[in-house]
Amino acid sequence: MGRSATTLTDVARAAGVSLSTASLAFSGAGPISASTREKVLSAAAELGYHGPDPVAASLRRGRSGVIGVVMGSAVSRSFRDPVSIQFLDGILTTLAGKDYGTLMLPATASDEEPASLLTHGAMDAAVLMAGAVTSKQTLAALRARNLPSVQIGGTGRQSLSVRARDKEGMQRLGEHLLERGHSRVGVVTLPWYAGAETGELDYATTRRPAAPITARRLDGLRAAGIEPVVMWQAGASLVEEGIQAGRAMLAGPDRPTALVGFSDLLAAGLLLAVREAGLAVPDDVAVAGFDGIDLPWLGGDRLTTVVQPIAEMGRVAAETALTLAGGGSARSTTLEVELRVGTTT
């Protein structure tokens, strides 16, 4: 038979200390001197012992040591979006610094049963990524488990939220366009509800968006005094969606003098559509977006955009989730934005 695995008891015996002292050396907590800790760790290294079993430790604590991150329903799309990547960077960096793991989960569509990982996966709290709409099924599955959750971009009504001042930022952008003399503005929005399809919207008759981010940004334009002459709903924040919308909005006889994308990727697609039509930016058509991401492939153009603190929102969401996982209390957080005027308006 092979030799049994080294245990913490073996390390304590080799270091000449009690088992509880050896345990404290690995936990980093409690009354133990630096020299004693070093003696224990040296003995562990000689014996090839790498530390207590994290699963066993999590069972003793009554927590998994994992925070769930609920992505959009199309997870692969998130990794094409620089905004999602920056959110994740803020989340994962924060959790790793606190020795917490991450479980990435797809959101549940409105007509589906929650995935088994959502209903049974080991996690202490959940961060819901910013998206069009978090379905009722996803939130209900988390509530049924009594799992605390934090929603990036949410309203704060169904769970704690970490969001930017979308409305105020879009209002500043709208006022900027009006100051430049643009009264005919076309808008490409993010989805209004879960599963929304790409296409033109009737601004006068369409109900208020169910998606909180879309609703706040539209409210901001209205607060500035802008009533879009044409409005197009994108199915997702993708450059190709912006190109499709731009082609449609520029095809009419009385085209808009300014186009606004509810994300920088949509705005980049609008810019490419304007170029494709042989028009000049901003002389013929101005273009603006929202997010503040870096798009060097646009060449000499730099988007006018509303800059939101994306990675910071991810960091705050992760910190809030950790507080809730530990049984603490927290509040929703709203972060400031700024208007950055580029070359496109």
Side-chain angles (χ1 to χ4, degrees):
M1 290 180 63
R3 184 179 182 276
S4 60
T6 303
T7 66
L8 186 60
T9 301
D10 299 325
V11 173
R13 187 179 299 116
V17 300
S18 68
L19 181 59
S20 60
T21 298
S23 178
L24 289 174
F26 279 96
S27 70
I32 180 174
S33 68
S35 60
T36 300
R37 179 178 287 109
E38 180 59 33
K39 183 165 61 173
V40 172
L41 296 180
S42 296
E46 291 178 7
L47 294 173
Y49 179 74
H50 301 294
D53 180 2
V55 174
S58 69
L59 291 174
R60 287 193 297 272
R61 292 193 308 266
R63 298 198 298 270
S64 68
V66 172
I67 299 295
V69 178
V70 182
M71 312 287 286
S73 56
V75 175
S76 60
R77 186 182 294 158
S78 297
F79 292 96
R80 297 176 57 193
D81 184 355
V83 175
S84 293
I85 292 172
Q86 288 185 45
F87 280 139
L88 282 173
D89 181 58
I91 294 168
L92 301 184
T93 300
T94 301
L95 295 180
K98 301 293 185 179
D99 295 327
Y100 253 77
T102 306
L103 177 64
M104 290 190 183
L105 306 161
T108 300
S110 58
D111 58 348
E112 295 177 349
E113 288 295 317
S116 59
L117 272 179
L118 191 63
T119 56
H120 295 93
M123 51 182 153
D124 302 325
V127 174
L128 291 83
M129 292 277 284
V133 178
T134 300
S135 72
K136 293 179 180 178
Q137 282 81 347
T138 296
L139 291 168
L142 295 173
R143 282 197 296 269
R145 300 182 57 182
N146 292 318
L147 272 179
S149 62
V150 184
Q151 188 173 3
I152 298 178
T155 62
R157 290 193 294 267
Q158 297 170 311
S159 66
L160 291 183
S161 71
V162 176
R163 64 179 181 88
R165 294 194 181 280
D166 303 276
K167 177 181 177 180
E168 292 83 350
M170 196 60 87
Q171 181 175 350
R172 290 175 210 161
L173 176 57
E175 291 167 350
H176 165 75
L177 292 175
L178 290 175
E179 289 170 359
R180 295 296 191 276
H182 296 287
S183 58
R184 295 186 52 77
V185 178
V187 174
V188 185
T189 76
L190 293 167
W192 285 45
Y193 53 87
E197 296 182 358
T198 298
E200 187 172 348
L201 295 170
D202 185 342
Y203 176 75
T205 61
T206 304
R207 296 173 59 187
R208 177 177 170 80
I213 291 175
T214 304
R216 290 194 296 264
R217 294 181 188 179
L218 187 59
D219 287 346
L221 284 180
R222 287 171 168 163
I226 288 181
E227 300 292 331
V229 294
V230 59
M231 189 161 60
W232 187 275
Q233 175 180 231
S237 177
L238 298 171
V239 173
E240 52 264 40
E241 292 266 358
I243 293 174
Q244 180 183 358
R247 287 171 176 167
M249 291 194 291
L250 294 172
D254 197 9
R255 67 169 185 260
T257 64
L259 299 175
V260 175
F262 274 21
S263 76
D264 280 350
L265 291 185
L266 290 173
L270 291 172
L271 178 60
L272 295 178
V274 173
R275 290 178 180 172
E276 181 186 86
L279 301 170
V281 176
D283 295 340
D284 296 321
V285 181
V287 178
F290 196 113
D291 284 327
I293 60 175
D294 188 22
L295 298 172
W297 49 268
L298 286 178
D301 282 313
R302 187 168 184 248
L303 274 177
T304 291
T305 184
V306 177
V307 182
Q308 60 174 336
I310 305 168
E312 176 68 4
M313 290 165 68
R315 184 194 70 77
V316 173
E319 291 280 6
T320 303
L322 288 171
T323 298
L324 296 174
S329 60
R331 295 182 177 181
S332 294
T333 304
T334 303
L335 301 178
E336 298 295 332
V337 300
E338 65 173 309
L339 175 65
R340 186 177 70 199
V341 178
T343 63
T344 58
T345 55

